[in-house]
Amino acid sequence: MTQMPDHPVLVTLRERLARIAELDAPALAAEEIAILGRKQGELTHLLRDLATRSLEEKRTLGAGLNALKLAFEAAIAARRGSLADAVRCEESRDVDLTMPGRQGWVGTRHPVTLVVEEIVEIFHGLGFAVAVGPEVENEERNFLALNFPPDHPAMDMHDTLYLDAQGSTPGAGGRVLLRTHTSPVQIRVMRAGPPPYRVVIPGLAYRNDPFDASHAPAFTQIEGLAVDEGVSFVDLKATLRHFAERFFGSRVKVRFRPSFFPFTEPSAEMDVSCQICGGTACPACKGTGWMEILGCGMVHENVLRNCDVDPERWTGWAFGMGPHRITMLRYGVPDIRLLYGGDMRLLGQFGELGR
Ligand code: DAH
């Protein structure tokens, strides 16, 4: 290459040429535009300007500028190539060809969902339809129509989650709340049309309870209601025993203990022989050999009357159970909170594969 004359413009450009090999990708792109850009490029501009210069300058600058233009183009292309090589090299270093492929996730239904479906299915086979109601209720359907006295402690703020704004005036049905049980759907079913009724009512209920090993502020319930002519406590016992044998297996033992609920009279609680020890007593059944699974009773005549159902003609029975609790009893889950977390070590044992 012939020695370039030391024109000051050429000196600075040559310095910039030497630094091309150090630029990163964004700086390289910027420098390319600054030097070779078709409108503002410094070199482009100088070359275009050459025509206006003196003959002497054309001679000293012209050849140098043209040589520099070629040198810039080559240097930029070379730098761009080596930057691309570096990226490719970096990427291939991150690929571990010996690593096992990612496993696909197969979802399964939650154990409580499976238990709800199984219970509903058993009652469906006995001629019960499914009814559902809203989770937001009022005091009238959640308590009063169910024969709770107006000052019943369950209505207390400590148990019930009220939704009314502080100081707002309650509507005709009393204060608005999150239903504390699925029983208000009994009222909705009976008020929607005349008997007979045979329904199961799955759904969520809410209570202002601390989240501990045996309580959750939101939990599932399944309510049952059967009202017809000539229905008696015998029907209740026979149906619930049949349910227990279907759900827990034909060897299960069942017992009824007298209890109290405002909306049933008489009322009972049903126990089944412990699913963990089979009835010989263990920590899961607190040494009794029995596990309580539901409350039930004959529908109180006040409840029938509150729904315009004539208690002289119609009689019925009802029950309420907690699928979260039943799931725990059936599978020996020691803490209800395990059924709320998403821990696949527990959940993965259920679903279609675990059944
Ligand atoms: N509602 C009751 C509760 O949440 C459960 C219950 C008991 C429902 C007896 C009934 C019943 O229908 O007859 O504790």
Side-chain angles (χ1 to χ4, degrees), residues 152-185:
H152 194 282
M155 295 171 70
D156 201 306
M157 290 289 263
H158 295 299
D159 295 331
T160 303
L161 293 158
Y162 288 94
L163 296 177
D164 279 337
Q166 282 267 311
S168 67
T169 30
R175 287 177 287 176
V176 176
L177 46 79
L178 287 176
R179 68 181 180 194
T180 57
H181 49 182
T182 45
S183 305
V185 188

Side-chain angles (χ1 to χ4, degrees), residues 185-199:
V185 188
Q186 287 191 34
I187 304 298
R188 288 177 176 273
V189 166
M190 290 196 276
R191 286 180 179 169
Y197 316 108
R198 269 184 191 79
V199 288

Side-chain angles (χ1 to χ4, degrees), residues 65 130 219 332:
L65 286 176
V130 173
F219 51 95

Side-chain angles (χ1 to χ4, degrees), residues 82 141 197 276:
S82 61
R141 278 183 297 263
Y197 316 108
I276 305 301

Side-chain angles (χ1 to χ4, degrees), residues 180-183 186 207 221 223-224 261 263-264 295-297 318-320:
T180 57
H181 49 182
T182 45
S183 305
Q186 287 191 34
R207 285 183 204 170
Q221 283 200 332
E223 191 85 13
F261 302 101
F263 35 91
T264 46
C296 57
F319 68 85

